[in-house]
Amino acid sequence: AETSGGLATRRLVETVSAPPPSGESQYMILERFFLMEVGHKRLVTINVCAANGDPSQNRTYQLQVAREPCPLEHPFYAPDTGTCAVTCNPGYFA
């Protein structure tokens, strides 16, 4: 600290910050929800494109997803409760 007329003063030091890193630094979350019948499978394909537009960096991912069937003792799915049931709910049919 310097003194000026008996009072202590401070001088702020200018700092140079590092440049931001090159490339993508933020991630976009993209969600999709879709219905899938009980006991069925679906192939989900995800295409990821490079942020810089370089097609050689693009990738395709495939996921085989399945929804378990209801057990024999509760063969019907009740969408209002999200569980398997013994009988169909009113307004639904197998």
Side-chain angles (χ1 to χ4, degrees):
E2 298 177 14
T3 39
S4 171
L7 297 173
T9 60
R10 293 187 316 163
R11 186 173 297 209
L12 297 177
V13 177
E14 183 178 332
T15 60
V16 178
S17 61
S22 64
E24 186 66 29
S25 60
Q26 297 179 359
Y27 299 97
M28 174 194 263
I29 296 174
L30 184 62
E31 294 178 334
R32 295 289 184 255
F33 296 93
F34 52 89
L35 296 176
M36 199 160 108
E37 291 291 326
V38 176
H40 284 80
K41 295 182 201 175
R42 183 174 287 175
L43 180 66
V44 178
T45 303
I46 302 170
N47 295 316
V48 180
C49 299
N52 66 1
D54 181 3
S56 69
Q57 297 296 314
N58 295 351
R59 299 289 183 265
T60 299
Y61 301 92
Q62 291 187 326
L63 306 172
Q64 179 73 42
V65 295
R67 187 167 181 185
E68 293 293 320
C70 287
L72 294 176
E73 61 272 8
H74 295 97
F76 304 106
Y77 181 74
D80 56 341
T81 62
T83 60
C84 293
V86 177
T87 61
C88 290
N89 290 352
Y92 296 95
F93 55 90

